[in-house]
Every structure is written in C-alpha cells, then in structure tokens.
Amino acid sequence: MATIRDNILNALVARLATIPGWTAQLRGLTNGAPNATVLAVVCFLTEDKSLATNDQYQASMQVLVWIRGNPENADATLDGGNAFRYLDRLVALAEQQVHDPDEWGIEPAFTEVQINGHDVLDPANDHQVQAELRLTFTYRHHYQDPGA
C-alpha cells in the first residue's frame, strides 16, 4: 500500500503533466527528458510530524518542484524574448496548477497545500533556465499506518 506521501507526490506529477508541453516526473536516481520543452521533477524534501490526537499524527511535508526550460522558447510577445520572464511564466503555470481545481481527488487526502515561494537558479552549462518551486502539504495519518 502506498503512503499518503507517495500518493500526494504522484498526484502532483500527474497535475503538472497536464500543462501543455510539459514533461513531469517523480524524482529518481536519474531524471531527464532531453526532448522535453519543459521538464518538472517533483522531489520529496522533508516531513515534520507531531501528535494530533491519541491515534493520529499531524504531518507537514515539504516538496520541491524543479522546473527546467529552454531559453529559446521565450515568446517574443509574452516574454519579450527574455528567458527569465519565460521562466517566471513557467513557475506561474505550475503555481496555478497546484490550486486548479482545488480538489485533488486522492484518498486519504491532505488538509492543506501551500506554495512557499521559489528560487531562480543560475543558468546551467547547457544554457537552460531553472527554478525550484517550494510547496508544503499538511495532512494527518494514523500513527500505526502512514497510508491511512
């Protein structure tokens, strides 16, 4: 049985994959899609827990979405041909997808998702623009079963 963590991460991958032109993946030992217009890799970072009731934990999971785009895809009209304006547009698309629609349809569900912000990375040697979007998911699970 999958954990709530795994269900949330996979649901986020599925959501990001619905953005036209995007390839979304769950973090693995190697990730990549050389022909992808935009690559989004969903990464588990940390989880904090505290007792919520006598049989449930309140959990807070931090997730990172690494977004990579190709500067040559910056639109002359939408981005003024500027690769970093293009990257900002990509981050905005990911942020929008987190909350649209607000119901994710996974069970058990999380109680809250929050976008914590993002960092823009220096261009890599392959001259791609990259950002790291940070999210926090809050949920509860039975103390004896992280999947329930």
Side-chain angles (χ1 to χ4, degrees), residues 55-119:
D55 67 349
Q56 285 197 319
Y57 277 110
Q58 175 79 12
S60 177
M61 178 176 66
Q62 289 75 43
V63 173
L64 180 131
V65 180
W66 176 67
I67 301 168
R68 183 193 76 197
N70 300 311
E72 63 269 15
N73 293 329
D75 186 271
T77 304
L78 296 174
D79 311 312
N82 182 309
F84 288 98
R85 287 183 65 196
Y86 168 62
L87 181 61
D88 185 63
R89 184 163 52 91
L90 296 179
V91 170
L93 287 170
E95 289 176 331
Q96 179 182 1
Q97 204 64 8
V98 168
H99 292 296
D100 185 28
D102 214 21
E103 178 58 44
W104 283 48
I106 56 176
E107 191 58 44
F110 54 88
T111 55
E112 181 180 294
V113 59
Q114 177 179 328
I115 298 171
N116 302 106
H118 72 281
D119 298 306

